[in-house]
Amino acid sequence: MKVAISIGDSNGIGLEILLKNHKRISKLCTPLYCVEKELLQEAAKMLQIKLPKHLKCIAPNAKIPPIMPAKITKESGAYSYASFLSALNLTLQGKAKAFVTLPIHKKAWQLAGIPYVGHTEALRDLLKMKQKQAIMVLGSPKLYVALFTDHIPLQSVPQSIQVQSLKSFLLHFAPYVTKTPCGVLGLNPHAGDFGVLGKEEEAITQAINKANQTLKKQVFIGPLVPDTAFVGKHLRYYVAMYHDQGLIPLKTLYFKESINLTLNLPVIRTSVDHGTAFDIAYQNKADSTSYLNAVKEAVFRAKK
């Protein structure tokens, strides 16, 4: 099985993870690396490791950037975006069964003139999807968190919580909830405390009820009080109203092993759940667990 892999930002830890795990990944699938071999050779030299044998490299449509560890550059941003597009297109064309993305740097994309803040937003637009159809989920087999809003400013979250849009999100997410119930978090402290601390929970409650009515069963419960929602509930799935609300508890508990999934797409895409880690770039300190799990998940989904 062929799996396309985009390299992320060449100034971060992505190339270290790619190079050091080629042998293990090759036992799971045939990886198609969306990168020039010359860039991998340079990275291997800087890391003082041997270049793996039998690399299948597909050059993206971009100029090879100079490797500048821990630097934010438009060249690395442009190349990481081109690598991502290459992996996506290989999958759309059926030349790969799935694709896995290594971490990009959002500011580098911005400097390169890329009009997206991340992979998920790019996929929504490039695949002509509505805002709430491509669902960002992070997690591990023990805990999955779906993000109702993901990469938007915190001040924009309250106005985004509308009954119809949240109901639609819940209905799109429901097929992926394999163990019910799924907890839906409130937005405000104490889930609004009956309107004393905010009224967004009224819309959340209505959306939950309408989604369950449509599904004809209780898939979703809530709104749960955010600061205690993960304590003693033994739930496997949650829906968070905004990025940090869901990812702080997840990454505190399962940072190394968790992965990023984009659900409800016409293609299979998984990713590491961490960033470029510039603070340890090219220091041979990167942890590969999330990457290995992301590839395993991509292979598993492709076989279903």
Side-chain angles (χ1 to χ4, degrees):
M1 179 188 299
K2 294 178 180 178
V3 174
I5 297 175
S6 65
I7 67 161
D9 196 292
S10 55
N11 295 335
I13 62 172
L15 294 183
E16 177 186 342
I17 291 172
L18 183 157
L19 290 167
K20 290 184 176 180
N21 291 283
H22 171 69
K23 189 174 182 179
R24 278 182 281 187
I25 294 302
S26 296
K27 293 178 180 178
L28 301 170
C29 63
T30 300
L32 304 178
Y33 300 116
C34 298
V35 60
E36 269 97 353
K37 194 171 184 178
E38 291 85 351
L39 190 58
L40 296 184
Q41 289 172 329
E42 180 64 20
K45 182 179 178 181
M46 294 180 69
L47 289 162
Q48 297 182 329
I49 61 176
K50 289 185 178 180
L51 187 73
K53 297 179 180 179
H54 311 301
L55 295 168
K56 294 183 182 297
C57 296
I58 298 171
N61 185 25
K63 183 180 178 182
I64 299 176
I67 295 178
M68 303 176 67
K71 300 295 183 183
I72 303 171
T73 68
K74 65 178 182 181
E75 292 83 6
S76 66
Y79 196 88
S80 65
Y81 181 66
S83 179
F84 160 69
L85 287 182
S86 178
L88 171 61
N89 289 329
L90 285 170
T91 311
L92 288 171
Q93 294 163 10
K95 296 177 181 178
K97 291 291 186 181
F99 74 107
V100 177
T101 56
L102 283 162
I104 58 108
H105 198 290
K106 294 176 175 59
K107 185 64 179 181
W109 271 27
Q110 185 185 67
L111 292 176
I114 310 303
Y116 310 111
V117 296
H119 290 118
T120 306
E121 293 77 16
L123 287 166
R124 284 187 183 127
D125 187 51
L126 295 169
L127 298 175
K128 308 300 180 186
M129 303 187 74
K130 293 180 181 179
Q131 180 70 11
K132 291 294 179 281
Q133 285 183 320
I135 300 173
M136 181 185 289
V137 178
L138 288 91
S140 71
K142 296 178 182 178
L143 176 65
Y144 290 97
V145 179
L147 303 181
F148 174 59
T149 64
D150 38 69
H151 294 138
I152 67 171
L154 189 57
Q155 65 181 359
S156 301
V157 173
Q159 64 198 46
S160 300
I161 300 175
Q162 304 294 329
V163 175
Q164 190 55 43
S165 59
L166 180 54
K167 173 194 170 185
S168 177
F169 179 94
L170 295 176
L171 291 176
H172 279 113
F173 183 49
Y176 301 99
V177 178
T178 59
K179 182 181 179 182
T180 58
C182 170
V184 181
L185 304 185
L187 174 70
N188 297 295
H190 306 291
D193 224 347
F194 299 97
V196 175
L197 301 176
K199 298 185 181 300
E200 285 81 8
E201 281 70 24
E202 295 177 8
I204 297 171
T205 299
Q206 290 184 51
I208 291 171
N209 292 338
K210 288 177 180 292
N212 286 336
Q213 288 170 9
T214 301
L215 295 166
K216 295 182 169 55
K217 56 183 177 180
Q218 190 183 49
V219 175
F220 301 100
I221 59 172
L224 303 180
V225 174
D227 64 354
T228 60
F230 295 86
V231 180
K233 295 284 194 300
H234 304 296
L235 300 180
R236 184 176 296 173
Y237 295 90
Y238 290 84
V239 174
M241 291 300 104
Y242 60 93
H243 186 278
D244 288 11
Q245 183 188 51
L247 298 194
I248 288 174
L250 172 67
K251 292 190 177 186
T252 299
L253 294 169
Y254 304 113
F255 180 63
K256 287 187 177 181
E257 62 260 46
S258 63
I259 65 172
N260 186 338
L261 299 163
T262 308
L263 301 180
N264 214 34
L265 298 176
V267 292
I268 296 168
R269 178 257 173 166
T270 66
S271 179
V272 297
D273 79 333
H274 56 74
T276 51
F278 277 177
D279 58 320
I280 58 170
Y282 293 90
Q283 297 178 33
N284 287 299
K285 294 181 179 179
D287 189 286
S288 302
T289 309
S290 181
Y291 174 58
L292 292 169
N293 287 346
V295 174
K296 290 175 184 177
E297 183 71 18
V299 171
F300 170 75
R301 289 180 176 273
K303 288 180 176 178
K304 289 176 70 175

